[in-house]
C-alpha cells in the first residue's frame, strides 16, 4: 500500500519540477526560481526511496510467496532466493525450472523438477515447493513424505519463514484429506511463526486457511473470528490474492450458514479480485461457491452454469479434486430434478477420485449424497451401508454440523425400519 502512494507522489513531484523549470525561464515567473532546487532535490530523494522500497519488497517476497491453492486455500512457496547455493550460480538449475513450470500450472513437471533439486541440495525450500506442486495434482502420499522430511532441516535455518510455510502447506494437505484437527494445528503453528518473523501476509494466509477448515467442520462463529483476524493482518501487509481469498472465505461462511443471497454479493467481489490477480484456481473455487448459493436459492439453471464453469477452470489448473467436487454438485442438480440414476453415476465417478486421492472428507460427503439418492430409490440396505461409511469418515476427520447430524438421523431411521 505504501509503494503505490509513493509512486504517485514521485510522479507529481516530477511533473511539478519540470513545470517549475520551464516557467522559471520566463521573466514573468522569475519569482518561482528559488523553488527549482528544492523541488529537484525532493524529486530525486522520493524516486530513490521508491526504488529502495520496491527492491526490498521484491527480495522479501522472493523468500516465501503466496500462491493460489486449489479448493479455496492459499499455499506458500519458496523461491530461488531461498537457495543461496543456486542464487550465486545464477541459473537456478532444476529449482528454477520447477518455478517456471509451477507458474505455468504444469504441476506434474514442476514437482519432478523440485524433487530433483531436493535430491541434489536437500534444502527444505526445494521440498516445500515439491510438496505444493504434488498437492496440486492430488499426489498426497508423496507430498506428505517430502514435506515431513523437510521439517527438521527447516528448523535449522536462521529464518523461520520456510518452517512457517511448511506448516501452512502441511495444513493444506491435511485439510485436503479431511484431517481437520491436524490441519488446524499446522495453521496455528504457521500463523505463530509468520507473526514471529513479522510476515503479516503469511499470517493472514494461514488464518484464512484455518477459517476455511472451521467452515468445513460447521464451526461458523470460530471461522468468522479467524477471518476477522486474517483481514486485519492483510490490511497491514496483505496483497490482492489475500483480499480475494478473504472475500471467498466470507462468501463460503455465508453460503454454509444459510445466507445465500448475501453470499452471492460477496462472491461477486471475490470474482473481481481473482480476475485482477489472474487466478484461475481462485475463480474455480468461487464459481463452485456461487453454484452452491444459486442451488440453495432454487435457481438450478444458474447453479449448473456455475458448476460447469468451475469444472472447466479446475481442468485448466489441474485440480482433480475440484473436478470431483463439481461432479458431485452436478449430481446434486440431477438429484433435485429427480434423475436419480444420473445423480448416482456422478457421485460414483466423484467417489473414485476422492478414494484415489485419499480425501476422507470428500469421500464422506459423496457417500452422504449417494445414501440420500439410494433412500429415494428405496434401496435401504445399500443406503445404510453408504451412510454408515460416511459416518465413520466424518468421525475420523472430526466433522460437525447439520449434514453430520442428518446422517445420524437417517441411519437411525433406516435401522428402525429394517427391524420392523
Amino acid at each position: 500500500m505504501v509503494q503505490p502512494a509513493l509512486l504517485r507522489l514521485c510522479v507529481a513531484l516530477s511533473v511539478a519540477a519540470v513545470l517549475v523549470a520551464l516557467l522559471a525561464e520566463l521573466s514573468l515567473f522569475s519569482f518561482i526560481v528559488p523553488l527549482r532546487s528544492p523541488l529537484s532535490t525532493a524529486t530525486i530523494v522520493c524516486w530513490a526511496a521508491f526504488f529502495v522500497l520496491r527492491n526490498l519488497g521484491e527480495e522479501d517476497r522472493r523468500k516465501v510467496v503466496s500462491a493460489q491453492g486449489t479448493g479455496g486455500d492459499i499455499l506458500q512457496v519458496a523461491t530461488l532466493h531461498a537457495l543461496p547455493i543456486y542464487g550465486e550460480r545464477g541459473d537456478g538449475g532444476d529449482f528454477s525450472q520447477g518455478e517456471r513450470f509451477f507458474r505455468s500450472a504444469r504441476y506434474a513437471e514442476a514437482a519432478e523438477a523440485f524433487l530433483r533439486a531436493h535430491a541434489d541440495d536437500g534444502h527444505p525450500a526445494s521440498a516445500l515447493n515439491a510438496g505444493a506442486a504434488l498437492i496440486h495434482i492430488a499426489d498426497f502420499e508423496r507430498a506428505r513424505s517430502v514435506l515431513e522430511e523437510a521439517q527438521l532441516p527447516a528448523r535449522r535455518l536462521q529464518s523461520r519463514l520456510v518452517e512457517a510455510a511448511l506448516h501452512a502447506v502441511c495444513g493444506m494437505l491435511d485439510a485436503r484429506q479431511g484431517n481437520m484437527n491436524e490441519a488446524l494445528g499446522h495453521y496455528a503453528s504457521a500463523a505463530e511463526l509468520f507473526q514471529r518473523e513479522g510476515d503479516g501476509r503469511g499470517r493472514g494466509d494461514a488464518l484464512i486457511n484455518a477459517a476455511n477448515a472451521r467452515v468445513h467442520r460447521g464451526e461458523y462463529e470460530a471461522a468468522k473470528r479467524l477471518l476477522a483476524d486474517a483481514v486485519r493482518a492483510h490490511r497491514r501487509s496483505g496483497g490482492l490474492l489475500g483480499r480475494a481469498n478473504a472475500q471467498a472465505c466470507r462468501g463460503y461462511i455465508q453460503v454454509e450458514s444459510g445466507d445465500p443471497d448475501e453470499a452471492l454479493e460477496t462472491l461477486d467481489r471475490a470474482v473481481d479480485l481473482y480476475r485482477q490477480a489472474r487466478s484461475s484456481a481462485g475463480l474455480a473455487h468461487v464459481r463452485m461457491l456461487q453454484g452452491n448459493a444459486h442451488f440453495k436459492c432454487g435457481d438450478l439453471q444458474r447453479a449448473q452454469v456455475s458448476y460447469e464453469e468451475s469444472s472447466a477452470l479446475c481442468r485448466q489448473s489441474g485440480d482433480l479434486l475440484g473436478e470431483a467436487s463439481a461432479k458431485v454438485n452436478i449430481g446434486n442438480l440431477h438429484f433435485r430434478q429427480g434423475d436419480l440414476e444420473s445423480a448416482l453415476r456422478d457421485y460414483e465417478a466423484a467417489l473414485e477420485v476422492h478414494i484415489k486421492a485419499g480425501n476422507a472428507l470428500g469421500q464422506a460427503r459423496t457417500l452422504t449424497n449417494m445414501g440420500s439418492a439410494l433412500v429415494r430409490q428405496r434401496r435401504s440396505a445399500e443406503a445404510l451401508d453408504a451412510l454408515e461409511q460416511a459416518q465413520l469418515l466424518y468421525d475420523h476427520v472430526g466433522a460437525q454440523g447439520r449434514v453430520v447430524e442428518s446422517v445420524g438421523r437417517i441411519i437411525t431411521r433406516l435401522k428402525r425400519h429394517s427391524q420392523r
Side-chain angles (χ1 to χ4, degrees):
M1 294 180 67
V2 173
Q3 288 185 29
L6 186 56
L7 177 60
R8 289 193 291 270
L9 177 60
C10 290
V11 171
L13 284 172
S14 299
V15 171
V18 170
L19 285 174
V20 167
L22 292 173
L23 292 174
E25 298 298 323
L26 303 175
S27 57
L28 182 64
F29 297 97
S30 59
F31 64 93
I32 65 173
V33 171
L35 294 176
R36 283 190 303 184
S37 180
L39 265 177
S40 298
T41 302
T43 302
I44 292 170
V45 169
C46 193
W47 277 111
F50 171 77
F51 284 112
V52 167
L53 283 174
R54 191 182 71 171
N55 290 335
L56 285 174
E58 285 179 354
E59 182 177 337
D60 197 40
R61 287 193 295 273
R62 287 173 58 203
K63 292 180 182 179
V64 174
V65 300
S66 296
Q68 180 61 44
T70 52
D73 36 28
I74 305 182
L75 55 80
Q76 272 72 36
V77 289
T79 68
L80 192 55
H81 183 81
L83 283 171
I85 56 175
Y86 284 150
E88 294 178 3
R89 199 170 72 190
D91 61 354
D94 288 321
F95 193 97
S96 183
Q97 185 182 53
E99 288 189 306
R100 289 193 294 272
F101 285 139
F102 196 96
R103 286 193 295 269
S104 302
R106 296 163 63 181
Y107 299 116
E109 294 162 288
E112 297 308 320
F114 287 132
L115 287 169
R116 288 195 300 271
H118 188 246
D120 287 341
D121 59 58
H123 198 289
S126 306
L128 172 68
N129 286 19
L134 289 165
I135 289 172
H136 269 284
I137 59 174
D139 191 344
F140 295 150
E141 186 175 350
R142 281 207 298 169
R144 187 171 299 281
S145 175
V146 72
L147 290 170
E148 288 178 351
E149 182 183 343
Q151 289 184 19
L152 184 58
R155 295 191 193 106
R156 299 183 184 132
L157 298 177
Q158 184 174 2
S159 169
R160 306 293 296 279
L161 285 175
V162 174
E163 183 186 352
L166 278 166
H167 276 294
V169 176
C170 285
M172 176 190 286
L173 174 59
D174 279 318
R176 199 63 57 82
Q177 293 190 285
N179 304 317
M180 294 304 166
N181 289 334
E182 292 83 353
L184 287 166
H186 279 299
Y187 291 146
S189 296
E192 181 183 351
L193 286 168
F194 277 126
Q195 184 173 26
R196 191 181 303 175
E197 292 294 314
D199 186 342
R201 173 195 48 77
R203 180 173 183 271
D205 291 346
L207 291 171
I208 287 174
N209 285 358
N212 280 321
R214 292 289 183 185
V215 180
H216 287 320
R217 289 169 49 139
E219 299 169 359
Y220 306 128
E221 292 305 315
K224 289 177 184 177
R225 290 193 293 272
L226 286 165
L227 179 59
D229 288 343
V231 169
R232 282 193 290 271
H234 276 298
R235 190 176 293 129
R236 292 190 291 270
S237 55
L240 186 61
L241 190 61
R243 296 200 302 276
N245 277 271
Q247 289 295 333
C249 181
R250 180 173 287 109
Y252 182 29
I253 294 170
Q254 291 164 343
V255 169
E256 295 301 316
S257 60
D259 196 353
D261 290 320
E262 187 173 353
L264 286 168
E265 295 181 12
T266 303
L267 295 170
D268 282 340
R269 293 193 291 272
V271 166
D272 291 339
L273 290 167
Y274 279 128
R275 282 177 175 161
Q276 292 176 49
R278 298 180 181 179
S279 171
S280 60
L283 279 172
H285 174 62
V286 172
R287 290 300 186 209
M288 186 83 71
L289 293 176
Q290 287 176 318
N292 292 345
H294 287 309
F295 185 87
K296 290 195 173 187
C297 290
D299 192 340
L300 303 187
Q301 185 174 359
R302 286 189 178 182
Q304 183 165 354
V305 169
S306 295
Y307 291 146
E308 289 174 351
E309 287 181 4
S310 177
S311 181
L313 288 164
C314 287
R315 282 195 297 274
Q316 178 183 330
S317 61
D319 181 6
L320 299 177
L321 295 185
E323 283 194 75
S325 295
K327 182 67 76 173
V328 168
N329 287 325
I330 292 171
N332 293 341
L333 286 173
H334 287 142
F335 185 100
R336 178 70 67 86
Q337 293 162 345
D339 187 354
L340 299 178
E341 289 299 329
S342 294
L344 282 168
R345 283 196 294 272
D346 291 328
Y347 296 150
E348 287 166 1
L351 182 62
E352 184 178 346
V353 176
H354 286 308
I355 290 173
K356 183 178 179 181
N359 181 11
L361 190 60
Q363 292 175 59
R365 289 175 170 171
T366 307
L367 285 163
T368 298
N369 293 0
M370 290 177 67
S372 298
L374 290 165
V375 167
R376 287 283 184 93
Q377 290 186 323
R378 300 185 184 280
R379 295 159 64 180
S380 299
E382 294 170 83
L384 182 60
D385 181 60
L387 292 169
E388 285 182 332
Q389 288 183 59
Q391 189 177 55
L392 288 172
L393 289 163
Y394 283 133
D395 288 343
H396 171 68
V397 301
Q400 302 175 30
R402 292 192 301 270
V403 172
V404 179
E405 293 168 2
S406 175
V407 167
R409 287 195 296 270
I410 297 171
I411 288 173
T412 300
R413 189 170 71 243
L414 288 172
K415 286 182 176 179
R416 286 175 180 169
H417 185 268
S418 66
Q419 291 170 359
R420 290 178 182 175

